[in-house]
Each structure stands twice: as structure tokens, then as C-alpha cells.
Amino acid sequence: LQFWITSSGRQKGELTKADMLLVGDGGWLLEGKGKPSAETALHQVLYRKFDIGAVFHVHTIKSAWVSAHCGDAMILRGLEMIKGFDRWEPDAEAVVPVVENHHDIPRLAQAVEAAARSDIPAVLVRNHGIYAWGSTCAEARRHVEITEYLCEYSYLTMLMSARRPEAPSRS
Ligand SMILES: [Zn+2]
């Protein structure tokens, strides 16, 4: 297994070709200058588990917040945007797994590998961010955007239900 990954500690908005590193099994650097991302092992388990061409990882506030406030999955049903996961049933359910954020990377990689489902191309890492994948970079990016949209929707749903006033009692 060989794949390209960004160099650790680079500004994500300013990445160039020179910041891409080719790594092999075990995360060994094969080509390029720099240090492969600390989370290379997480990308590796996903490339091994599925027949995919790209894995993207982002740290967003909403994904960190929502993953901290739900159980072992973020579940949404009937939203038009779920079609972005190639789920076309009218009442499609998106079950995005949530895994604990272990600082021990091999342990975190194991948790992501175990939780990743073939029908939903994304995993949330609690208080951390999103892993999403696809057959191409464009598809992986779309899956990141759909997941972030679902996180935003979940966040607003939780916020609104927390603010809903108590029904007046009939005494
Ligand atoms: Zn991360």
C-alpha cells in the first residue's frame, strides 16, 4: 500500500505539491521532504479497509461539538443532503459513527477501522474532527462537506431543543 499524505504542520489553505509526501506500509516516507501527518495510520487503515482513492481529515468546531454531545453515532433521517452519500431512499438514514479520541494513534486507528461502515463514507472522532473518504479527491471532499452539513444540522437541532420552553402545566 502506498498513498500521498500532507506534511505535518503545514497551513492547510496554502498547501502546494511540495507538501505532499508519498508513504508506504507502516507510514514510511518514500518520496518528498517533510514529516508525514501524525495521523497517517488512520488514513492507512481506511485505504486498507475500502477500495477508495482519497481520505480527507478536517478539524471543525461543529464536528468536535456534536461528536462530544452524542453517543456512538450521529444519526439523521430524511434530509435531502443525505443523497450526497449516494443514499437515494426517500427516508434515508445517515448513521455516522463516533469514536473516542485516543491520543495513542495506533489505538485510534484501530477504533476508526472498526467503526467505519461501507454505507456511510465518514467517521467522527470525538472532540476532534471528521474523516471522510471517496473514490476520488472530489468525492472525498463532497463527503467532508455533507458530514459537516449534518454536524451543523445536528448542532442546531440540539441547540433549539435545549432552548424550547417547557409546556405550561395544567394545574
Ligand atoms: Zn486530526
Side-chain angles (χ1 to χ4, degrees):
L1 175 72
Q2 294 183 1
F3 58 96
W4 294 91
I5 193 155
T6 52
S7 187
S8 185
R10 296 289 201 280
Q11 271 292 338
K12 298 289 182 280
E14 296 168 11
L15 289 172
T16 68
K17 229 174 168 180
D19 297 314
M20 298 302 294
L21 308 174
L22 182 67
V23 296
D25 258 340
W28 302 116
L29 183 61
L30 299 174
E31 200 180 313
K33 274 188 186 161
K35 189 172 175 283
S37 161
E39 293 172 35
T40 299
L42 279 81
H43 294 248
Q44 190 171 292
V45 294
L46 292 166
Y47 284 119
R48 280 221 181 99
K49 181 164 182 169
F50 303 116
D51 182 21
I52 52 176
V55 175
F56 283 4
H57 174 51
V58 295
H59 300 151
T60 67
I61 293 172
K62 299 284 167 54
S63 66
W65 194 92
V66 168
S67 61
H69 291 83
C70 61
D72 57 5
M74 170 179 72
I75 303 171
L76 288 152
R77 183 181 290 117
L79 284 174
E80 183 71 13
M81 284 294 269
I82 292 172
K83 287 180 182 168
F85 284 153
D86 291 318
R87 298 287 303 274
W88 298 90
E89 318 91 272
D91 200 27
E93 189 176 64
V95 179
V96 184
V98 177
V99 303
E100 294 304 322
N101 183 33
H102 306 293
H103 286 166
D104 174 355
I105 296 296
R107 194 170 163 206
L108 179 57
Q110 225 171 33
V112 167
E113 184 179 17
R117 300 160 55 110
S118 56
D119 61 337
I120 294 290
V123 164
L124 297 179
V125 181
R126 205 181 305 285
N127 269 322
H128 180 159
I130 298 170
Y131 272 88
W133 53 91
S135 55
T136 60
C137 285
E139 191 177 76
R141 179 183 171 154
R142 171 162 56 93
H143 293 157
V144 167
E145 288 171 351
I146 302 292
T147 309
E148 179 64 6
Y149 178 98
L150 298 179
C151 287
E152 178 112 23
Y153 192 96
S154 294
Y155 168 77
L156 289 171
T157 304
M158 289 184 206
L159 200 67
M160 296 312 282
S161 60
R163 282 183 164 190
R164 193 173 297 149
E166 298 263 326
S169 60
R170 293 184 171 200
S171 55

PDB file of all heavy atoms in Angstrom, residues 37 39 42 57-59 101 105 108 125 128-131, ligand 1:
ATOM      1  N   SER A  37       1.970  13.392   8.198  1.00  0.00           N
ATOM      2  CA  SER A  37       0.995  13.717   9.243  1.00  0.00           C
ATOM      3  C   SER A  37       1.032  12.702  10.374  1.00  0.00           C
ATOM      4  O   SER A  37       1.197  11.504  10.153  1.00  0.00           O
ATOM      5  CB  SER A  37      -0.409  13.731   8.603  1.00  0.00           C
ATOM      6  OG  SER A  37      -1.396  13.605   9.595  1.00  0.00           O
ATOM      7  N   GLU A  39      -1.281  11.569  11.912  1.00  0.00           N
ATOM      8  CA  GLU A  39      -2.420  10.648  11.830  1.00  0.00           C
ATOM      9  C   GLU A  39      -2.385   9.771  10.571  1.00  0.00           C
ATOM     10  O   GLU A  39      -3.417   9.262  10.126  1.00  0.00           O
ATOM     11  CB  GLU A  39      -3.723  11.437  11.944  1.00  0.00           C
ATOM     12  CG  GLU A  39      -3.872  12.055  13.328  1.00  0.00           C
ATOM     13  CD  GLU A  39      -5.049  13.007  13.453  1.00  0.00           C
ATOM     14  OE1 GLU A  39      -6.080  12.770  12.837  1.00  0.00           O
ATOM     15  OE2 GLU A  39      -4.907  14.002  14.178  1.00  0.00           O
ATOM     16  N   LEU A  42      -4.287   6.462  10.509  1.00  0.00           N
ATOM     17  CA  LEU A  42      -5.743   6.470  10.339  1.00  0.00           C
ATOM     18  C   LEU A  42      -6.113   6.424   8.857  1.00  0.00           C
ATOM     19  O   LEU A  42      -7.040   5.729   8.458  1.00  0.00           O
ATOM     20  CB  LEU A  42      -6.369   7.704  10.999  1.00  0.00           C
ATOM     21  CG  LEU A  42      -6.557   7.575  12.510  1.00  0.00           C
ATOM     22  CD1 LEU A  42      -5.286   7.867  13.246  1.00  0.00           C
ATOM     23  CD2 LEU A  42      -7.662   8.478  12.988  1.00  0.00           C
ATOM     24  N   HIS A  57      -9.201  14.586   6.071  1.00  0.00           N
ATOM     25  CA  HIS A  57      -9.417  14.766   7.503  1.00  0.00           C
ATOM     26  C   HIS A  57      -9.434  16.251   7.805  1.00  0.00           C
ATOM     27  O   HIS A  57      -8.538  16.978   7.374  1.00  0.00           O
ATOM     28  CB  HIS A  57      -8.287  14.080   8.275  1.00  0.00           C
ATOM     29  CG  HIS A  57      -8.326  14.321   9.749  1.00  0.00           C
ATOM     30  ND1 HIS A  57      -9.454  14.126  10.504  1.00  0.00           N
ATOM     31  CD2 HIS A  57      -7.361  14.737  10.613  1.00  0.00           C
ATOM     32  CE1 HIS A  57      -9.185  14.411  11.768  1.00  0.00           C
ATOM     33  NE2 HIS A  57      -7.926  14.796  11.858  1.00  0.00           N
ATOM     34  N   VAL A  58     -10.471  16.709   8.519  1.00  0.00           N
ATOM     35  CA  VAL A  58     -10.557  18.126   8.895  1.00  0.00           C
ATOM     36  C   VAL A  58     -10.930  18.265  10.366  1.00  0.00           C
ATOM     37  O   VAL A  58     -11.546  17.367  10.953  1.00  0.00           O
ATOM     38  CB  VAL A  58     -11.600  18.894   8.038  1.00  0.00           C
ATOM     39  CG1 VAL A  58     -11.170  18.950   6.577  1.00  0.00           C
ATOM     40  CG2 VAL A  58     -12.979  18.287   8.168  1.00  0.00           C
ATOM     41  N   HIS A  59     -10.516  19.379  10.951  1.00  0.00           N
ATOM     42  CA  HIS A  59     -10.879  19.724  12.331  1.00  0.00           C
ATOM     43  C   HIS A  59     -11.874  20.871  12.241  1.00  0.00           C
ATOM     44  O   HIS A  59     -11.486  21.969  11.816  1.00  0.00           O
ATOM     45  CB  HIS A  59      -9.652  20.195  13.108  1.00  0.00           C
ATOM     46  CG  HIS A  59      -8.562  19.169  13.205  1.00  0.00           C
ATOM     47  ND1 HIS A  59      -7.242  19.508  13.318  1.00  0.00           N
ATOM     48  CD2 HIS A  59      -8.607  17.824  13.214  1.00  0.00           C
ATOM     49  CE1 HIS A  59      -6.510  18.413  13.394  1.00  0.00           C
ATOM     50  NE2 HIS A  59      -7.314  17.368  13.325  1.00  0.00           N
ATOM     51  N   ASN A 101     -11.551   9.759  21.043  1.00  0.00           N
ATOM     52  CA  ASN A 101     -10.304  10.358  20.565  1.00  0.00           C
ATOM     53  C   ASN A 101      -9.116   9.916  21.420  1.00  0.00           C
ATOM     54  O   ASN A 101      -8.736  10.605  22.344  1.00  0.00           O
ATOM     55  CB  ASN A 101     -10.428  11.880  20.584  1.00  0.00           C
ATOM     56  CG  ASN A 101      -9.202  12.549  20.024  1.00  0.00           C
ATOM     57  OD1 ASN A 101      -8.560  12.027  19.123  1.00  0.00           O
ATOM     58  ND2 ASN A 101      -8.876  13.711  20.564  1.00  0.00           N
ATOM     59  N   ILE A 105      -2.124   6.888  18.793  1.00  0.00           N
ATOM     60  CA  ILE A 105      -2.577   6.838  17.389  1.00  0.00           C
ATOM     61  C   ILE A 105      -2.901   5.411  16.901  1.00  0.00           C
ATOM     62  O   ILE A 105      -3.937   5.211  16.260  1.00  0.00           O
ATOM     63  CB  ILE A 105      -1.567   7.548  16.449  1.00  0.00           C
ATOM     64  CG1 ILE A 105      -1.495   9.047  16.792  1.00  0.00           C
ATOM     65  CG2 ILE A 105      -1.946   7.358  14.981  1.00  0.00           C
ATOM     66  CD1 ILE A 105      -2.775   9.844  16.574  1.00  0.00           C
ATOM     67  N   LEU A 108      -6.276   4.683  18.179  1.00  0.00           N
ATOM     68  CA  LEU A 108      -7.280   5.489  17.481  1.00  0.00           C
ATOM     69  C   LEU A 108      -7.538   4.912  16.081  1.00  0.00           C
ATOM     70  O   LEU A 108      -8.683   4.807  15.632  1.00  0.00           O
ATOM     71  CB  LEU A 108      -6.819   6.954  17.396  1.00  0.00           C
ATOM     72  CG  LEU A 108      -7.741   7.933  16.684  1.00  0.00           C
ATOM     73  CD1 LEU A 108      -9.131   7.953  17.304  1.00  0.00           C
ATOM     74  CD2 LEU A 108      -7.155   9.346  16.696  1.00  0.00           C
ATOM     75  N   VAL A 125     -14.462  11.705  14.978  1.00  0.00           N
ATOM     76  CA  VAL A 125     -13.627  11.403  16.139  1.00  0.00           C
ATOM     77  C   VAL A 125     -14.010  12.432  17.206  1.00  0.00           C
ATOM     78  O   VAL A 125     -13.974  13.646  16.953  1.00  0.00           O
ATOM     79  CB  VAL A 125     -12.125  11.471  15.810  1.00  0.00           C
ATOM     80  CG1 VAL A 125     -11.295  11.117  17.038  1.00  0.00           C
ATOM     81  CG2 VAL A 125     -11.784  10.525  14.655  1.00  0.00           C
ATOM     82  N   HIS A 128     -12.714  16.090  18.103  1.00  0.00           N
ATOM     83  CA  HIS A 128     -11.532  16.161  17.252  1.00  0.00           C
ATOM     84  C   HIS A 128     -11.889  16.573  15.821  1.00  0.00           C
ATOM     85  O   HIS A 128     -11.537  17.675  15.408  1.00  0.00           O
ATOM     86  CB  HIS A 128     -10.840  14.788  17.299  1.00  0.00           C
ATOM     87  CG  HIS A 128      -9.598  14.661  16.486  1.00  0.00           C
ATOM     88  ND1 HIS A 128      -8.642  13.696  16.728  1.00  0.00           N
ATOM     89  CD2 HIS A 128      -9.161  15.348  15.396  1.00  0.00           C
ATOM     90  CE1 HIS A 128      -7.659  13.819  15.840  1.00  0.00           C
ATOM     91  NE2 HIS A 128      -7.957  14.812  15.026  1.00  0.00           N
ATOM     92  N   GLY A 129     -12.612  15.751  15.068  1.00  0.00           N
ATOM     93  CA  GLY A 129     -12.915  16.136  13.697  1.00  0.00           C
ATOM     94  C   GLY A 129     -13.512  15.030  12.861  1.00  0.00           C
ATOM     95  O   GLY A 129     -14.017  14.045  13.391  1.00  0.00           O
ATOM     96  N   ILE A 130     -13.422  15.230  11.547  1.00  0.00           N
ATOM     97  CA  ILE A 130     -14.070  14.336  10.567  1.00  0.00           C
ATOM     98  C   ILE A 130     -13.015  13.581   9.755  1.00  0.00           C
ATOM     99  O   ILE A 130     -12.031  14.180   9.322  1.00  0.00           O
ATOM    100  CB  ILE A 130     -14.900  15.173   9.552  1.00  0.00           C
ATOM    101  CG1 ILE A 130     -16.018  15.952  10.257  1.00  0.00           C
ATOM    102  CG2 ILE A 130     -15.452  14.292   8.426  1.00  0.00           C
ATOM    103  CD1 ILE A 130     -16.717  16.989   9.353  1.00  0.00           C
ATOM    104  N   TYR A 131     -13.248  12.295   9.532  1.00  0.00           N
ATOM    105  CA  TYR A 131     -12.554  11.539   8.494  1.00  0.00           C
ATOM    106  C   TYR A 131     -13.596  11.185   7.463  1.00  0.00           C
ATOM    107  O   TYR A 131     -14.661  10.670   7.816  1.00  0.00           O
ATOM    108  CB  TYR A 131     -11.924  10.246   9.052  1.00  0.00           C
ATOM    109  CG  TYR A 131     -10.536  10.484   9.586  1.00  0.00           C
ATOM    110  CD1 TYR A 131     -10.343  10.883  10.894  1.00  0.00           C
ATOM    111  CD2 TYR A 131      -9.430  10.361   8.760  1.00  0.00           C
ATOM    112  CE1 TYR A 131      -9.075  11.149  11.382  1.00  0.00           C
ATOM    113  CE2 TYR A 131      -8.154  10.625   9.234  1.00  0.00           C
ATOM    114  CZ  TYR A 131      -7.983  11.014  10.542  1.00  0.00           C
ATOM    115  OH  TYR A 131      -6.731  11.288  10.991  1.00  0.00           O
TER     116      TYR A 131
HETATM  117 ZN    ZN B   1      -6.688  15.399  13.484  1.00  0.00          ZN
END
